[in-house]
Amino acid sequence: MAEKIILINDLRSSALQVPAVPEAPTGLLSDALGRPLHDLRISVTDRCNFRCVYCMPKEVFDKDYQYLPHGDLLSFEEITRVARLFIAHGVEKLRLTGGEPLLRKNLERLVAMLRALPTPSGRPLDLTLTTNGSILARKAQALKDAGLDRVTVSLDAMDDKVFRSMNDVDFAVADVLHGIDAAHAAGLGPVKVNMVVKGGTNDDQLLPMARHFKGSPTILRFIEFMDVGASNGWNMREVVPSQEVVRRISAELPLEPVAANYSGETASRWRYVDGGGEIGVISSVTQAFCGDCSRLRLSTEGKLYTCLFATRGHDLRALLRADRSDLELSGAIAQLWRGRADRYSETRTAETGIGQRDGARKVEMSYIGG
Ligand SMILES: Nc1nc2c(ncn2[C@@H]2O[C@H](COP(=O)(O)OP(=O)(O)OP(=O)(O)O)[C@@H](O)[C@H]2O)c(=O)[nH]1
Ligand SMILES: C[S@@+](CC[C@H](N)C(=O)[O-])C[C@H]1O[C@@H](n2cnc3c(N)ncnc32)[C@H](O)[C@@H]1O
Ligand code: SF4
Ligand code: SF4
């Protein structure tokens, strides 16, 4: 048991260094590969009420699994302070994630605090959230009222039996669909739906999912099963390449490519030739998109991760709780981003994809935030 906790929790974080000369943010930061910082993904909890087989398999995340104690979590005030600094550094998109973010009590209070932040660039802040949809129907209106712009909902099948076996807690498709409808009704649309495609498990659901959402305001996106973390038993044989996904859907519902909405978008866009709307494919395994990656992740306990496949975080909470000034924190963030050279998906091989990287365990997605 002790070994399990040590393996899963990230014990290899480094202190975030404060530069000797503090510097004010200019809104223009580039990493070592020339990529700007645009998108901060904030994990608000490492807990989840699902046990998706590709993310939190039951055998690992069982009743003995120890989640972070409450005092380790960043408070809403701490998250808001950090978000303000990131916005000053040029971040224009905040995504709340987890674990299941809607399990964090009073999340709408955090949404309202983030919404109230000033945006020195004058450009509006895109404030969004990724959820499994299980309690979205109850929360959608309060989230909208607090200032959330939109939501992304995960759903892996239309067939109830397949979906229940993928979330592994017997949760029904109809309840997620109800959450999606509630989000649209509250004005949190257009909702995006994420489907992780696992070959041999739910790839028979590609067309049922496409047929269901075609012609609706919902944008369906197919994600290649990724080797994130070290507990989901990933192997290349279960990855269905996006090209194959597009081929299978297009054979019945013809598709054509569409230009990206913005540089660094994770999804490649396709639209139905007959005007039935669009879909997206997220091809982290077969067509890596590190070249434009402008995403930084803040874990539930306040560590910064420069890549989804990182093995080590950088401890920002220690600085927050040591009463460092905003200028000092800003300098530390700038220094971290400038030194960033991550491009894991571009360098992945079938071997590096399994569990470890450079001899260390990759951090779990439920902990770092998806
Ligand atoms: N490899 C890799 N995968 C990512 C990265 N960011 C997101 N993903 C994957 O893409 C999925 C979709 O991410 P979302 O947060 O829904 O998408 P997004 O592209 O930020 O969404 P929009 O803002 O709506 O365009 C995630 O759940 C991950 O599986 C990344 O930086 N690297
Ligand atoms: C980690 S979850 C967190 C938010 C929320 N619990 C949810 O499921 O939407 C974020 C996203 O990561 C995706 N994800 C998790 N594990 C994955 C994997 N191994 N490969 C690809 N996507 C994955 C999920 O499908 C989900 O869309
Ligand atoms: S993908 Fe989301 S819903 Fe599924 S186990 Fe991971 S955190 Fe929970
Ligand atoms: S693998 Fe790392 S660097 Fe590449 S897109 Fe994903 S998070 Fe960005």
Side-chain angles (χ1 to χ4, degrees):
M1 186 58 224
E3 191 196 10
K4 182 149 97 184
I5 295 163
I6 288 166
L7 281 174
I8 301 274
N9 285 337
D10 170 37
L11 300 178
R12 291 174 306 280
S13 67
S14 350
L16 191 60
Q17 299 300 320
V18 175
V21 183
E23 65 172 276
T26 60
L28 294 169
L29 266 186
S30 274
D31 74 5
L33 302 178
R35 299 169 295 188
L37 171 60
H38 178 263
D39 180 345
L40 179 68
R41 303 164 90 93
I42 303 172
S43 174
V44 294
T45 179
D46 59 335
R47 291 167 193 263
C48 188
N49 52 345
F50 282 15
R51 285 293 175 273
C52 301
V53 291
Y54 49 76
C55 179
M56 294 181 83
K58 249 182 186 163
E59 317 78 72
V60 179
F61 295 87
D62 58 14
K63 63 177 181 20
D64 294 325
Y65 181 73
Q66 297 204 354
Y67 295 97
L68 295 168
H70 193 73
D72 282 5
L73 272 52
L74 290 191
S75 67
F76 289 170
E77 287 69 22
E78 287 171 325
I79 292 174
T80 306
R81 179 178 176 206
V82 171
R84 178 187 283 113
L85 299 174
F86 274 102
I87 291 169
H89 272 306
V91 161
E92 293 181 1
K93 177 156 92 176
L94 297 180
R95 177 175 295 280
L96 302 178
T97 177
E100 174 45 44
L102 297 185
L103 294 184
R104 180 86 185 248
K105 235 171 141 185
N106 300 323
L107 190 73
E108 48 282 15
R109 191 168 76 83
L110 175 64
V111 170
M113 289 163 75
L114 295 174
R115 182 81 283 165
L117 287 172
T119 49
S121 72
R123 283 186 292 275
L125 179 70
D126 186 11
L127 184 52
T128 176
L129 171 142
T130 307
T131 172
N132 62 25
S134 58
I135 47 177
L136 184 57
R138 261 193 279 147
K139 294 270 192 174
Q141 193 60 57
L143 290 166
K144 177 68 188 178
D145 294 346
L148 193 71
D149 288 315
R150 59 197 178 97
V151 289
T152 297
V153 181
S154 303
L155 177 65
D156 297 323
M158 286 312 298
D159 180 280
D160 216 40
K161 206 160 151 246
V162 176
F163 182 55
R164 283 175 195 263
S165 73
M166 282 194 87
N167 63 55
D168 220 5
V169 294
D170 219 20
F171 201 83
V173 172
D175 293 333
V176 179
L177 294 178
H178 185 44
I180 294 171
D181 289 345
H184 272 125
L188 288 170
V191 173
K192 289 183 180 170
V193 165
N194 282 349
M195 169 180 174
V196 175
V197 184
K198 211 178 159 202
T201 305
N202 68 337
D203 57 327
D204 63 340
Q205 295 298 301
L206 294 173
L207 274 155
M209 289 283 285
R211 286 183 204 118
H212 181 87
F213 289 109
K214 181 168 182 282
S216 80
T218 302
I219 300 169
L220 174 60
R221 300 179 320 160
F222 301 93
I223 307 176
E224 289 178 348
F225 173 37
M226 294 192 294
D227 51 320
V228 69
S231 63
N232 66 6
W234 182 87
N235 71 72
M236 191 63 205
R237 290 184 306 283
E238 290 176 300
V239 176
V240 181
S242 290
Q243 222 182 359
E244 170 66 9
V245 170
V246 170
R247 191 192 65 73
R248 286 201 220 168
I249 294 173
S250 203
E252 177 181 317
L253 309 167
L255 290 164
E256 61 189 10
V258 191
N261 281 315
Y262 56 89
S263 155
E265 194 172 16
T266 54
S268 307
R269 300 169 64 207
W270 294 78
R271 74 175 156 229
Y272 294 110
V273 172
D274 69 3
E278 71 174 77
I279 63 162
V281 287
I282 298 176
S283 324
S284 161
V285 181
T286 63
Q287 292 168 63
F289 40 78
C290 304
D292 289 325
C293 180
S294 55
R295 291 171 285 277
L296 186 65
R297 292 176 160 84
L298 177 65
S299 80
T300 315
E301 56 177 338
K303 289 177 189 161
L304 290 171
Y305 288 86
T306 55
C307 178
L308 184 55
F309 298 87
T311 56
R312 183 184 295 275
H314 303 269
D315 192 0
L316 181 61
R317 190 188 64 192
L319 299 185
L320 283 168
R321 295 188 180 173
D323 287 332
R324 296 296 201 140
S325 68
D326 281 355
L327 220 52
E328 287 175 312
L329 294 179
S330 260
I333 290 166
Q335 190 162 280
L336 176 69
W337 189 260
R338 288 200 191 102
R340 173 186 189 249
D342 302 82
R343 45 189 287 271
Y344 173 81
S345 292
E346 288 181 347
T347 57
R348 168 200 292 114
T349 64
E351 285 72 43
T352 56
I354 304 168
Q356 300 219 331
R357 193 183 160 190
D358 305 329
R361 189 182 169 101
K362 283 182 288 175
V363 69
E364 295 295 321
M365 195 145 172
S366 56
Y367 164 85
I368 193 180

